[in-house]
Structure formats: C-alpha cells, structure tokens
Amino acid sequence: MSNSESTFPVCRVLIASTDTKWREQWLTRLTEAEAAEAEGLRGFRLQFATVADRDSLLEQARLDGELQGVVLDGADLAQETQVVRDLRALRSEIDLFLALPAGSVTEIAQMEPVDRDEPRAGVLLRRLRSAIARRARTPFADTLREYVEGARDAWHTPGHSSGDGLRESPWVADFYRLMGEHVFNADLSVSVQELDSLLEPSHVIQEAQDLAADAFGARRTFFVTGGTSMANKVVVQHVLGDGGQMLVDQACHKSVHHAAILFGVEPIYLPASVNAQYGLYGPVSRARIEAAIDSHPDARLLVLTSSSYDGFYYDLKPLIDRAHRAGMKVLVDEAWYAHGYFHPELRPCALECGADYVTQSTHKMLSAFSQASMVHVGDPDFDELRFREHLNMHTSTSPQYGLIASLDVARKQMSMEGFARLAQGMAYVRELRAGIAETGRFRVLELDEMLPGELANDGIRLDPMKLTIAVADGGGARALQRTLYERYSIQVEKVTHNTLSVLVTLGTTRSKVLRLLNALQSLAQDAAIPEAQPRPPALPPLGEMRCRPREAYFGPTEQLPLVDETHARNPQLIDRISADQVVPYPPGIPVLVPGQRIGAEVLDFLLDLLHSDTGTELHGLIRGDAGPQLRVRAENTGSA
Ligand SMILES: Cc1ncc(COP(=O)(O)O)c(C=O)c1O
C-alpha cells in the first residue's frame, strides 16, 4: 500500500444475508477484487464485512460512521421490506444494493438490483464503487478546481482579475495576503462557461443540485447565494406572489415579514410562546396552529420555523397534514436544521413530514460559506419554470462561485461523513453537559425547562446541538459573555439575560470543548461572576392588523416621537398604524409590523426597553436629534 493510499477514507460495505455460504463467498470475492484494483484511482478504499441478520445490520448502521453501502440478499433479508425502511430511517445516505436471484424482480424503491449469482465479482465491485463515487463527487467544486489549476488569463470580470489587481499594490496587497490567493483565483464569472450558470444551470451546477436533492431527500434542490433570507422571500413569492393570506409564526425570521411587504401578502400572525424565566421565545402551540388553519380557509401558505434559534423542533407531520387538507402549501424554515436529515436522532425532518418547501442555511450548522443556502422542494404540484423565474429575480447575475462550490462540498461532506460527524458532535454535547453540570454554577437546560408550559404536550423536541447554558442565581449572562471573550477568547452564539447559547457544529473540536469547559470551571470559582442583570420586559401581545403590511409600508406616512414633552408615551401614537417593523434584538421577534395597530402596551414596552440596561438593540426605531420616533401611516388614508 502506498503512503498516499493509506490516507484514503475507508468505505465499508456490508454483505447481509442469512445464507452463510453466499455471504462468505461474496466477502472473499469482493475483497480480492478490491485488492486487485489499481491503487489510488478513486480516492477511497472499499472494505467488506458481513452480517447474518436484520438486527446486526441495523446495529451496524447505528454505529458505523464508515458504512457507505449494503448488499442485501434478495433471497431472504430483503424480503422484509421493513428492513429497508428501517435502514433508510437510520441512514438515508448509504447506497443499497439488492442481490436478486435469477428470474425475480423487485419493487423496492431506491435500491439498485444486482445479480445474486453474478459470476464476475468485478461487476458488483464497480457498481458499488460508482454509486459511492457519485456521492463523493463535487461536480461544481471539481470543475472550479480544475479551472483554477489551469491558470487561465482573465480578460473578464471580476476586475481584480484573479487577484492581479491587488497582489503587487503597496496599499491593498495586505488584503490579498489575508484572504489567500485562491479566494481571488476562484472568484470567477459567468463568462467561464465550463462553470455553468447559476441562473440557468444545465451541467455542473445542475448536477451538484441534483446530488443535493438526493442527499437531502428532496424532489428538487436549488442553490441560493443570498442566504435563507433570500430563500424565504423566493418561496413566499412563488406561492403568494400575487398576494393572499399566509399563516405565519410571529417569531419567524424577518425575511418572511419582508416578503409580506414585498408581495402584498396578508399575514395572519400566530403568537410565539414565551419562557419568561429564561427569555426564550418558543414555537406556536399546536392548538393555535390548528385553530388558525381551520379558521382561515382562504390562506394559501403556512410558514413554520423549525428548529428555532434555541433548537425547538415541531412535531411537524400532523400540522403539515392538516394544512394540506385545508389546501395550503407549507414552508418550513429549517435555517437552523440543515444537519437534521443525517442522523436518526434528529429525524424526521420537514421534507420527510411532507413539507412543500424547506429553506436551509447550509452555512449555519454545516461547512458552507456564509450566505450559502438551499431551497428543497417536496411540492407534488411544483412548477419549476415559474420557480426558476422567481429565484432569478432575487439572484445576482454575478454570484460568488466560492459559495456555490461550498454548497457542493457541504453536501458531499454530509453524504459521506455527516452521520459520523454528527455522532461525534453528540459525544461532545454529552461531555459539555456533564462538564458544565460539574461547575455547580452553570448548567445546560433540558427541553422541559426551556419549553414554555403551554407546549408541554405538543411533541416538540430539542436539537441537541444547540446548548442553552443557564447561569445560576438568575443573572449575569452578558457579563459572562464578555469575560469569556476578553479573558478566554471564546465567542458564544447568543445570550439572554441569564443564559448563553453555544452551537456544536461540524467544526467543533475537542480542544474547543476543553477550552470552554476550562473557562466555565474557572469562572464558576470566581466569586465576582455572575453579577445580576435586569430581565428585559416581556414582549407585549400582538396588536391587531389594520391593513396589509405593503399598504402601510409604501403608503403615505409621518413620523411621530415616541414620547411627549413630559417624557411619557406619546398619546398621539395610540391607535395609529405602524409603517415599519420594530424588532427588539434579542429575541429578534417583532413587536410591531407594518399595518399593525399601535397600542399603549407596545409603547410602554419600547419605553421600558429604552430606559433599561439590558443591552437589547431596537431595530426599526428612528433615532435622531428629535429623539426616538416611529413611522406611522398618515391619517385619513381611508383604510383603517
Ligand atoms: C429562522 C431563520 N430563518 C432565516 C434566517 C436567515 O438566514 P441567512 O442568514 O442564511 O440569510 C435566519 C437567520 O438567522 C433565521 O434565524
């Protein structure tokens, strides 16, 4: 074995049969055929093993991160179609082969048939290898690499021309060095036809998208270079571009609220549940969603966020089924859950539950660059031509090729090693939970502590990869966040007044785990921390919608101060209609959206927040010399 081959990843293939002679024969024949192959041709090594029954097969699928293929004996094990279903539920990505006796046919979907008595082992070997190699390919990233290695002269955009515009400059060469030469070499344009076109893909980008659809279990998948912020708008436009009603959780991402403005949609907001003790905003209760579906027969789209930022994941199937029965399409924003399909403990995911459209920020939890997202389609009535047009309306004609390549590579990674990496991540999670509990001062919250009480029986689960760490004695999370950063160079994901959240992703390493645990252990012994911190005021209840967001946003407006001369809430604002979205961050949930009636409670909330020392940002408030102001609909516009 050459040195280079020894670094090739191993792909284990199980030969599963109760027939000892058959499986041992194939083990020997395939192992010999693999050994006889030319070395180093294909970038991975096949290794064969056998299992004699269903339970051992499933056990291996549960444990073996290197398992990439299974050859099921069609004469016995595969007769139980349940085996295939169980295997798929554990590992959607692995390649399944069905060894059929002569004269038999199979109806089992997603299994490649092979001859059980194939005389040439090399035939089966090649089919196995080509199936695995297909997943291990990155058609776009491979072509991009070849192009970059070809060192072509650039006479096209971008103007930095492979970095030549910066490299020798006494002023900006430092930026070139910081980013690295290949960031510039790989920053190409649609003039390079080998690299296909994101707006009209027909070869390498299309192939990469097809592989992504297979990997994520979608009918079709589209790459998006403007993040899930863009993906959500595209889907809302596709389903509701000419207006109409959409049911949407109040805590949805602002891109969905923006889509309502852009496309004249009438949103029916479903109030988010709240856990006031920890400042966590949860999903909408099942009863509320069901009631909204039933009482809005004209709504055409239901939008749910799953998982939430804190990791709450809906029991989606009954909700999606109900929405479908009512004639609605369902968009599930899985911005935070692109990893879910690749580990059985995280499934089922939205597409498996029947969602029509699923948007994912591949960059949030997986290895893609920021802004790289995907839309997965499950809609049986999907109109691809229209969708393409809607997508292109939001897509730059100069997309970043590095982002596209990173989507291709992130998909490959999940398909080849997602299960193993997530299993590793979960081991880190266990280590973190135990180590943090040992500090005595911090602890990782469990689902039942985090979930607002009204959702206790809604079947909601928690993404284990998102850890919410509570600070004992009810305070000090912001101070802790600062100390972790300043003293230990640790940057966490987010904080509330008494919790901090960290994400365990594919990029989490053992040293990061150890450093976080060490830091928390020493902070736990430091009497000065945590210091108490005020709890931000609770979000006011949602006000009534008086007109569509689009009318309020684009119609005639005026600005009114938030406070009067006595610094009390401005009575002139009461009963007016907000023209803007006003969002305290955290939690990032709007307290006003365009078209909403302004009540005293909202104004008191905003004043409380402005006067408090909670560190909460307020987006959407106009600030200037005249003090904070709100933009409201001009009076006498006749629609309130
Ligand atoms: C639920 C949700 N959806 C969508 C987005 C937007 O995703 P992106 O950053 O990929 O644009 C976010 C961002 O935080 C989010 O939390």
Side-chain angles (χ1 to χ4, degrees), residues 483-563:
T483 314
L484 277 172
Y485 181 69
E486 283 164 10
R487 207 185 293 169
Y488 300 95
S489 295
I490 289 173
Q491 177 70 62
V492 301
E493 174 67 30
K494 79 161 173 95
V495 285
T496 68
H497 63 288
N498 59 359
T499 68
L500 16 116
S501 303
V502 294
L503 300 179
V504 175
T505 69
L506 295 200
T508 302
T509 61
R510 186 104 218 295
S511 3
K512 289 184 199 168
V513 170
L514 290 177
R515 282 199 291 273
L516 179 58
L517 284 177
N518 274 341
L520 289 176
Q521 261 148 16
S522 41
L523 282 171
Q525 284 148 24
D526 181 343
I529 293 173
E531 70 200 32
Q533 189 189 316
R535 183 189 286 197
L539 294 190
L542 276 174
E544 176 199 343
M545 291 296 289
R546 289 279 177 84
C547 67
R548 291 184 187 218
R550 183 183 175 85
E551 288 167 43
Y553 186 85
F554 288 114
T557 59
E558 59 182 318
Q559 287 177 205
L560 292 179
L562 191 60
V563 290

Side-chain angles (χ1 to χ4, degrees), residues 227-229 232 253 305 333 335-336 361 363-364 373:
T228 300
S229 307
N232 284 339
H253 186 252
T305 308
D333 179 338
W336 289 101
S361 297
H363 64 93
K364 284 199 196 300
S373 286

Side-chain angles (χ1 to χ4, degrees), residues 26 72 75 143 169 193 214 253 283 331 337 396 409 522 552 560 568 618:
W26 272 108
L72 264 182
T143 314
S169 161
Q193 286 169 7
D214 286 351
H253 186 252
L331 159 62
Y337 212 65
S396 165
V409 170
S522 41
L560 292 179
L618 254 180

Side-chain angles (χ1 to χ4, degrees), residues 457-476:
N457 299 317
D458 283 2
I460 285 167
R461 56 184 206 256
L462 185 66
D463 179 2
M465 313 300 267
K466 303 182 174 90
L467 297 180
T468 304
I469 302 168
V471 185
D473 313 325

Side-chain angles (χ1 to χ4, degrees), residues 73-385:
D73 186 355
D76 55 21
L77 279 181
Q79 296 305 317
E80 312 168 41
T81 44
Q82 189 58 36
V83 175
V84 178
R85 237 174 269 139
D86 291 346
L87 211 46
R88 282 272 167 248
L90 286 171
R91 302 284 294 277
S92 60
E93 77 283 12
I94 55 181
D95 290 298
L96 296 186
F97 288 80
L98 183 61
L100 287 172
S104 57
V105 283
T106 176
E107 302 263 306
I108 304 178
Q110 296 177 308
M111 290 196 76
E112 189 175 331
V114 291
D115 179 359
R116 187 176 190 272
D117 302 307
E118 167 63 55
R120 294 153 305 160
V123 171
L124 179 54
L125 184 75
R126 276 194 292 283
R127 298 189 74 153
L128 279 166
R129 207 183 292 132
S130 102
I132 295 172
R134 178 174 181 271
R135 283 191 286 126
R137 282 184 66 223
T138 43
F140 181 80
D142 294 347
T143 314
L144 181 63
R145 183 184 305 110
E146 279 158 25
Y147 191 87
V148 166
E149 284 170 359
R152 272 82 172 184
D153 277 353
W155 288 90
H156 54 77
T157 60
H160 60 68
S161 202
S162 305
D164 293 346
L166 302 90
R167 195 175 35 243
E168 308 301 335
S169 161
W171 293 103
V172 290
D174 54 339
F175 181 66
Y176 177 85
R177 285 194 297 273
L178 171 73
M179 301 307 282
E181 63 173 318
H182 289 321
V183 165
F184 293 95
N185 282 334
D187 185 23
L188 295 159
S189 84
V190 77
S191 311
V192 182
Q193 286 169 7
E194 290 98 305
L195 291 171
D196 209 350
S197 156
L198 184 63
L199 293 120
E200 214 53 62
S202 62
H203 48 109
V204 283
I205 294 181
Q206 189 53 51
E207 285 167 36
Q209 292 185 148
D210 290 346
L211 284 165
D214 286 351
F216 287 87
R219 279 170 196 262
R220 304 292 273 166
T221 288
F222 297 83
F223 289 174
V224 176
T225 52
T228 300
S229 307
M230 171 180 148
N232 284 339
K233 288 182 203 122
V234 171
V235 175
V236 175
Q237 177 176 352
H238 180 63
V239 181
L240 286 174
D242 56 346
Q245 280 186 347
M246 103 180 141
L247 306 180
V248 54
D249 58 47
Q250 176 197 11
C252 69
H253 186 252
K254 58 182 169 188
S255 50
V256 181
H257 298 284
H258 290 158
I261 297 174
L262 286 171
F263 309 117
V265 170
E266 183 189 337
I268 311 293
Y269 287 112
L270 312 175
S273 55
V274 57
N275 178 333
Q277 185 184 356
Y278 295 113
L280 304 175
Y281 283 81
V284 185
S285 72
R286 176 190 288 198
R288 283 211 167 108
I289 300 173
E290 289 177 347
I293 294 173
D294 295 348
S295 57
H296 292 90
D298 293 335
R300 284 158 52 202
L301 180 66
L302 168 67
V303 185
L304 295 173
T305 308
S306 200
S307 77
S308 68
Y309 201 1
D310 299 302
F312 296 123
Y313 200 94
Y314 283 105
D315 179 12
L316 284 174
K317 180 95 174 62
L319 299 172
I320 294 175
D321 286 349
R322 197 167 181 124
H324 282 166
R325 280 197 299 276
M328 291 173 208
K329 295 292 178 197
V330 181
L331 159 62
V332 179
D333 179 338
E334 275 191 350
W336 289 101
Y337 212 65
H339 55 301
Y341 194 48
F342 299 92
H343 197 285
E345 284 180 35
L346 307 176
R347 288 169 66 186
C349 298
L351 281 171
E352 297 176 89
C353 295
D356 299 289
Y357 298 91
V358 176
T359 50
Q360 291 178 343
S361 297
T362 320
H363 64 93
K364 284 199 196 300
M365 301 289 287
L366 310 185
S367 301
F369 286 135
S370 289
Q371 284 185 225
S373 286
M374 297 190 198
V375 179
H376 303 296
V377 179
D379 185 357
D381 311 314
F382 184 54
D383 179 346
E384 181 157 358
L385 278 179

